[in-house]
Amino acid sequence: MAKEAAAQRFAVRIRHSILLFGIVNACLYSALLPLWEGFDESFHYAYVESLWQTSQLPVLGRTLIPADVYDSFLLAPVSYIVQGWIPQATTFDAWSSLPEAEKERRRSQLERLRPQPRSPAGTNYEAHHAPLAYLLLALLDRPMSHAPITVRVLVLRLFGAVCGTLLLYFGAGALFRALRLPEPSANAALFTIFCSQMLYATIAHVANDWLAVGISALFLASMARLVTTPDRRTALTVGLWLAAGLLTKAYFLAFAPLAVAASALLIGRGRLQVKTALLVGTMVLVLAGPWYARNLALYGNVSGTQEEYDGIGIGQTLAAAPHIDWVATAGFLARASLWTGNNSFTAYSRKTLNGILALLFAALVAWVMSRRSIQPAEQILFAAIVLFSLAVAYASCASFAHTHGDVPGASPWYTQVLLTPVIALAYLGLSRWKSAGPVLAVCTVALWTWVLTVTWIVKLFPLYSGAGAAPLRIHDLWNWYMHRAAAHMHDLSLLGLAPASLLYAGLVVSLGLAILLSAVVIRDLVKQLAA
């Protein structure tokens, strides 16, 4: 009895340590990322600022970019991709060749930007999004109106990234319990999720993704519980998370049919009362319905997306499907779901990412092969994965039609919704594959730890120090950090949103926790193999 209690306390400490690991990475990513290097971040922040400046919900095609955001384009360096949209901006490469005094002058001017009553020409193309995440950020941003724009953005990033990490932690934990994932596998799955570079690239910048990814995990966990114990409280929880998701991002419309179908099935089997389902449906309509009715009134469509606003309807979207190279698009989306170098869209080793995908595929095959053990909670989770994947495919068609073939795939940050459910089913499959499952689980943990380590020390720190990507060979990498990194410390401070010394301290903590936790998680998986 005492041993079991001690083991339980140790397991709780491990989960809390993994949460700390996630929070450290989220904070480090938020502070390291240069201003507007997050996906479309300047326009998402413009949404936040315009909310409290105008006290009105934004309207696509009408809401203008606030003056301080517009002025920052002349001062803050951006990726070459963003510079293609904003010609007056300076690329990172051009920034690195500027004299040191000019870099300092621009950073100083950037720090002096404050919200202004004037609004220059230029509409905000992110004004169509549902408002919940932005309203929460606006409540935090307004009291900081006298602070530099870099401080405001950093605080909002930290708030969103930490809240997103906490939501994901609780959502993933609830999902693992609903699936009855064994303790060692659950810890491995949680650690793997918090090793994902693309997760932090998604939640650690000013946008609505920080809230959407966490809510999606909580919604899926409540759906898994609903099909197991379909009581009134669980059904109301499903409705609450669905409504919150719909008020955060329109892609939650893809989950609405799942909730309706599951409720109808449970009612048909006599496991859920009709009045409970009607109550939940009414709650969702009352909370989220007005926003989508507004979209219909303003734009003539429910989702309010940029593509539909520009006239790309269902017919044009579906007509694009035969013209897409789906093998290439699926490969791009799968790899980009694991690693994408922020708004610079730098690449990672394709072989390494393919190795991760191969391990995930083997794990999911193992889950499918354990079909006699598959429970209703797993079935509803798999249905959610399929349904959302179809929604991503539809978004890919819409992007293809909207850009006349220039963009063949959906945005890879959409697919972070699938991170938790896919990892959950993968480790569930490996836990049931008694012969090779634990070995593949160990390989998976080790590979994800390696990718996160390389992300920090090879990719992002050298990139945002103004030195490009450091060489991967250990000897050259060691020499870079020993002899060249110090010379770029000032550049890192000018580009990042925190002093370089603090960023490197965060790096040490992140890597230390990664090594320690991966060792503990792997040890427990090995014990599971021995048992």
Side-chain angles (χ1 to χ4, degrees):
M1 190 73 176
K3 284 186 177 181
E4 291 181 2
Q8 186 62 34
R9 288 194 298 270
F10 181 75
V12 170
R13 286 198 294 270
I14 292 300
R15 287 197 296 273
H16 290 170
S17 298
I18 294 173
L19 172 60
L20 175 63
F21 172 68
I23 291 174
V24 167
N25 285 321
C27 292
L28 178 57
Y29 214 100
S30 299
L32 175 65
L33 205 66
L35 191 68
W36 311 149
E37 175 65 349
F39 304 116
D40 303 313
E41 184 176 44
S42 56
F43 299 94
H44 287 292
Y45 178 71
Y47 188 135
V48 172
E49 191 174 311
S50 66
L51 275 176
W52 62 262
Q53 279 193 337
T54 65
S55 299
Q56 295 178 345
L57 292 172
V59 178
L60 194 60
R62 300 180 199 170
T63 299
L64 300 178
I65 302 167
D68 57 331
V69 176
Y70 188 87
D71 292 342
S72 72
F73 296 150
L74 295 172
L75 303 171
V78 296
S79 72
Y80 73 96
I81 295 174
V82 176
Q83 198 266 346
W85 305 334
I86 308 171
Q88 67 267 37
T90 303
T91 65
F92 287 124
D93 288 341
W95 165 273
S96 64
S97 64
L98 291 174
E100 206 67 21
E102 175 62 15
K103 294 178 185 177
E104 292 175 354
R105 184 192 69 81
R106 293 191 183 193
R107 179 63 185 238
S108 178
Q109 285 190 318
L110 188 66
E111 300 285 356
R112 289 199 290 270
L113 291 179
R114 300 293 188 277
Q116 301 293 329
R118 67 179 179 87
S119 291
T123 57
N124 187 353
Y125 64 81
E126 296 290 1
H128 62 286
H129 285 289
L132 181 57
Y134 302 100
L135 287 169
L136 295 174
L137 295 179
L139 292 174
L140 187 60
D141 189 55
R142 184 169 189 169
M144 297 189 297
S145 60
H146 297 296
I149 194 170
T150 51
V151 173
R152 283 178 274 141
V153 169
L154 176 58
V155 171
L156 296 190
R157 282 183 183 175
L158 290 171
F159 173 80
V162 172
C163 288
T165 301
L166 288 168
L167 288 172
L168 193 56
Y169 172 79
F170 289 114
L175 181 60
F176 298 159
R177 289 191 295 273
L179 298 177
R180 298 178 182 176
L181 190 62
E183 190 78 37
S185 297
N187 286 339
L190 189 62
F191 178 72
T192 300
I193 289 169
F194 287 143
C195 280
S196 171
Q197 178 270 341
M198 192 56 192
L199 170 64
Y200 301 112
T202 299
I203 68 172
H205 71 283
V206 180
N208 51 8
D209 301 287
W210 64 270
L211 186 58
V213 174
I215 287 178
S216 68
L218 289 161
F219 167 75
L220 292 174
S222 64
M223 285 295 299
R225 290 198 306 272
L226 180 67
V227 297
T228 304
T229 55
D231 54 32
R232 183 189 183 94
R233 181 178 178 180
T234 304
L236 288 171
T237 303
V238 169
L240 178 64
W241 289 127
L242 180 58
L246 289 168
L247 288 172
T248 302
K249 217 169 177 72
Y251 61 40
F252 275 87
L253 288 168
F255 288 135
L258 180 70
V260 171
S263 299
L265 186 62
L266 290 170
I267 290 171
R269 293 178 177 178
R271 300 185 64 202
L272 183 68
Q273 293 184 349
V274 174
K275 63 179 182 180
T276 299
L278 290 175
L279 175 63
V280 172
T282 302
M283 180 180 69
V284 173
L285 287 174
V286 168
L287 293 175
W291 174 258
Y292 291 92
R294 177 182 183 268
N295 283 346
L296 193 60
L298 283 174
Y299 312 126
N301 62 79
V302 173
S303 66
T305 62
Q306 181 73 54
E307 290 84 0
E308 291 207 64
Y309 177 79
D310 289 338
I312 305 300
I314 295 176
Q316 290 166 289
T317 298
L318 296 179
H323 303 285
I324 296 176
D325 183 347
W326 285 106
V327 174
T329 297
F332 158 75
L333 275 175
R335 286 186 291 272
S337 298
L338 302 175
W339 208 98
T340 298
N342 307 315
N343 249 351
S344 294
F345 284 90
T346 51
Y348 195 90
S349 165
R350 177 175 287 207
K351 290 182 180 179
T352 303
L353 297 182
N354 285 342
I356 290 177
L357 292 173
L359 287 170
L360 286 177
F361 179 76
L364 291 173
V365 169
W367 174 76
V368 172
M369 295 301 291
S370 67
R371 55 185 178 274
R372 292 184 179 179
S373 301
I374 293 176
Q375 300 300 311
E378 302 165 48
Q379 294 171 348
I380 197 71
L381 191 62
F382 181 72
I385 292 172
V386 172
L387 195 60
F388 196 82
S389 297
L390 291 174
V392 170
Y394 181 87
S396 298
C397 294
S399 296
F400 186 91
H402 188 237
T403 62
H404 305 290
D406 289 340
V407 179
S411 300
W413 47 92
Y414 294 171
T415 56
Q416 292 312 291
V417 169
L418 299 176
L419 176 65
T420 298
V422 167
I423 292 294
L425 290 186
Y427 276 99
L428 192 59
L430 293 177
S431 70
R432 291 171 180 168
W433 191 1
K434 300 304 180 183
S435 56
V439 175
L440 293 182
V442 167
C443 293
T444 300
V445 170
L447 192 54
W448 283 71
T449 306
W450 166 254
V451 170
L452 182 67
T453 301
V454 171
T455 293
W456 289 130
I457 66 176
V458 179
K459 294 292 186 179
L460 299 188
F461 268 79
L463 175 64
Y464 298 137
S465 296
L472 185 56
R473 289 179 298 178
I474 295 177
H475 175 73
D476 293 335
L477 187 64
W478 176 265
N479 285 337
W480 190 89
Y481 275 98
M482 290 298 100
H483 306 297
R484 295 178 56 198
H488 293 284
M489 290 278 282
H490 187 56
D491 284 337
L492 182 58
S493 294
L494 291 175
L495 274 177
L497 299 190
S501 57
L502 188 60
L503 295 174
Y504 273 103
L507 173 64
V508 171
V509 175
S510 172
L511 296 182
L513 285 172
I515 294 169
L516 176 63
L517 288 171
S518 64
V520 172
V521 168
I522 288 173
R523 182 203 63 185
D524 290 346
L525 290 171
V526 170
K527 285 184 178 179
Q528 182 179 339
L529 175 63

